Amino acid sequence: MCARCREYREAMGDAGEVLYSAKAFASPGFLRVVAAEGLGVDVVSAGELGLARAGGYRGESIHFLGNNKSLEDVAAAWEARATLVVDGFHDFDLVRQVLPAGAGLRCLVRISPGVRPDTHEQIATGQLDSKFGFPIASGAAREAVERVLAEDRLRLAGIHCHIGSQILDLAPYRRAMAAMLDFAAALRRDLGLVVERLGAGGGLGIAYTRQDRPPSPGQFVAALRETLERGCRERGLRVPALVVEPGRSIAGPAGVALYTVGSIKEIPGLRRYVAVDGGMGDNIRPKLYGARYEALLASAPAAPPTQTVTIVGKYCESTDVLIADVPLPELRPGDVICLPAAGAYCLSMASNYNGVPRPAAVMVREGRARLLRRRETLQDLLAAEVVEVPGDPPALPMVAVDGSEGAQTGLQRPLGE
Ligand SMILES: Cc1ncc(COP(=O)(O)O)c(C=O)c1O
């Protein structure tokens, strides 16, 4: 993970900024390491901002995105003096309610460049038909920029886009950069505005299986820089600072999910189900995006496969399948199976479905292990629950609905009075 952060930083040099997209995995202990590598961070909620601050992040190196921010989100962004990425006209109303006049909070405007990458449709975001970004085509992008310029609570630092995730081909990024530069050229021509920062988003894909051949972070940044420099030359524009915000390509390859084998069910001539002590509660990606993983026997990762099995989880859903038809050596209950490339969008999307506590996260470096997040317990499951046992006094005294002392219906009076 540190090597990937460095590869991003070195490829970027002084041409711009690299942020880590915390949605991929936002444990503060992990964010601390990313921050130490010199990366900023992007967050999408007041909660994620709180995790980033616990990870040591401060100020404008935190970019606050989101297509439906709340008042609390904007207040948290202002309090942290983060960079706000405006995504929807509703943001202007929130900004006026939360920020004092003349605040001048640094912001970028999120543009929808009208580019559809070749990835799963649920993780494509750059096309016109998307909930994210102001479309260029409809004129909304232009209007958003003009409204920022007219709002002294905001200070325009540049424009931003993000076309999708798990992208294995760099061509759509080149198309998005071209669309963004055409937009920047129109802003300069019509408004005399110089775009100083251009956010290209994240989205670089990783290898989940042996067949996947993603570009490296260095190739990704080099392609963006080259497209930007050439595109600016062609349009007579000053080259803006480039901002990238990868998540998956930093956290993903760094994570290995470990599962213990429990029940094994053989249906002769049909399928062998191997059930593990996790599943869709800690990794929803196979079901959400049809994601495919490899699996290895942890005690003998190089052991040749002898069978084809389907690895399923422990959740009460038939759809709780982690990997269908995967080759593995002989397995027995108690064996540990590992799934490589499980560091991104697994634990950060984990749930407590079926009352299953979420697993621990451990960081390993040069043979030394450090707990990032402890395994959850029943106490964690109960922490936010309001448990009322019949006969207990209620937490808050109840009053008669009509306010009269004489209203004596037992239900409306404080119990025990
Ligand atoms: C706006 C934005 N930026 C960055 C990312 C990170 O993408 P990835 O983890 O694929 O690099 C996402 C993820 O969807 C995103 O929505």
Side-chain angles (χ1 to χ4, degrees):
M1 174 268 261
C2 293
R4 295 206 136 216
C5 290
R6 268 169 229 165
E7 188 178 344
Y8 268 111
R9 284 267 353 116
E10 278 161 23
M12 185 62 87
D14 56 9
E17 211 180 336
V18 183
L19 314 174
Y20 166 66
S21 193
K23 61 180 75 65
F25 179 58
S27 194
F30 184 84
L31 294 176
R32 253 176 207 286
V33 179
V34 177
E37 292 296 333
L39 274 61
V41 70
D42 99 52
V43 301
V44 293
S45 71
E48 234 174 48
L49 174 62
L51 294 171
R53 293 182 81 170
Y57 279 102
R58 298 285 176 271
E60 290 177 345
S61 68
I62 307 173
H63 286 214
F64 199 118
L65 294 88
N67 73 303
N68 184 26
K69 301 178 190 76
S70 64
L71 275 176
E72 292 72 24
D73 289 336
V74 174
W78 166 236
E79 211 250 317
R81 302 297 189 268
T83 301
L84 192 72
V85 180
V86 176
D87 184 351
F89 291 110
H90 183 53
D91 281 359
F92 292 105
D93 301 335
L94 302 178
V95 160
R96 287 190 78 78
Q97 289 178 64
V98 172
L99 273 59
L105 186 66
R106 185 166 97 143
C107 83
L108 302 175
V109 175
R110 179 160 178 178
I111 307 295
S112 165
V115 170
R116 166 88 168 83
D118 186 17
T119 187
H120 193 280
E121 68 173 310
Q122 305 302 349
I123 42 178
T125 55
Q127 69 281 10
L128 178 62
D129 187 1
S130 163
K131 71 173 184 171
F132 297 106
F134 295 99
I136 299 174
S138 69
R142 170 67 165 272
E143 187 185 337
V145 168
E146 287 179 345
R147 283 185 63 174
V148 171
L149 292 174
E151 174 56 81
D152 68 1
R153 291 168 176 81
L154 297 173
R155 173 171 45 94
L156 184 66
I159 54 177
H160 168 276
C161 69
H162 169 76
I163 58 173
S165 200
Q166 185 55 12
I167 300 172
L168 299 169
D169 170 16
L170 297 177
Y173 285 103
R174 294 201 172 89
R175 295 203 300 277
M177 287 292 97
M180 295 292 277
L181 289 179
D182 284 343
F183 182 59
L187 293 178
R188 204 208 36 198
R189 185 189 63 227
D190 301 342
L191 306 179
L193 183 77
V194 175
V195 169
E196 283 169 3
R197 308 183 86 72
L198 199 153
L204 177 64
I206 61 169
Y208 283 102
T209 68
R210 292 185 178 90
Q211 286 73 46
D212 297 333
R213 297 269 177 276
S216 69
Q219 289 168 331
F220 169 69
V221 174
L224 288 172
R225 285 186 61 177
E226 188 267 322
T227 311
L228 198 57
E229 281 156 24
R230 188 164 35 79
C232 285
R233 239 186 352 262
E234 286 165 5
R235 294 167 181 81
L237 297 172
R238 196 160 83 207
V239 181
L242 173 66
V243 186
V244 293
E245 51 197 38
R248 184 191 312 275
S249 52
I250 287 177
V256 171
L258 299 177
Y259 297 102
T260 303
V261 172
S263 154
I264 299 177
K265 173 178 176 179
E266 179 82 35
I267 307 176
L270 190 58
R271 192 178 295 278
R272 183 173 295 167
Y273 284 102
V274 173
V276 297
D277 58 344
M280 63 186 288
D282 57 77
N283 187 351
I284 193 71
R285 295 190 63 258
K287 286 304 125 187
L288 212 50
Y289 313 131
R292 180 87 195 160
Y293 288 86
E294 303 270 359
L296 304 165
L297 179 58
S299 59
T306 56
Q307 57 174 344
T308 297
V309 302
T310 289
I311 302 178
V312 295
K314 63 181 278 111
Y315 295 85
C316 280
E317 300 288 338
S318 292
T319 192
D320 179 25
V321 176
L322 279 172
I323 323 178
D325 303 327
V326 61
L328 273 165
E330 284 314 301
L331 296 169
R332 286 191 310 270
D335 281 344
V336 174
I337 292 177
C338 78
L339 268 60
Y345 303 107
C346 292
L347 277 189
S348 62
M349 288 189 174
S351 77
N352 289 125
Y353 182 50
N354 285 173
V356 178
R358 288 176 295 177
V362 178
M363 182 176 262
V364 181
R365 189 175 200 171
E366 287 162 9
R368 291 215 308 276
R370 181 163 77 80
L371 193 62
L372 280 182
R373 185 186 156 83
R374 65 163 171 74
R375 192 189 302 277
E376 286 180 349
T377 64
L378 175 60
Q379 268 61 45
D380 295 310
L381 296 185
L382 290 171
E385 300 299 330
V386 181
V387 186
E388 278 188 34
V389 179
D392 276 0
L396 294 171
M398 290 173 167
V399 291
V401 170
D402 65 0
S404 73
E405 296 267 327
Q408 298 250 342
T409 62
L411 278 176
Q412 292 164 349
R413 294 184 61 76
L415 288 173
E417 244 190 31

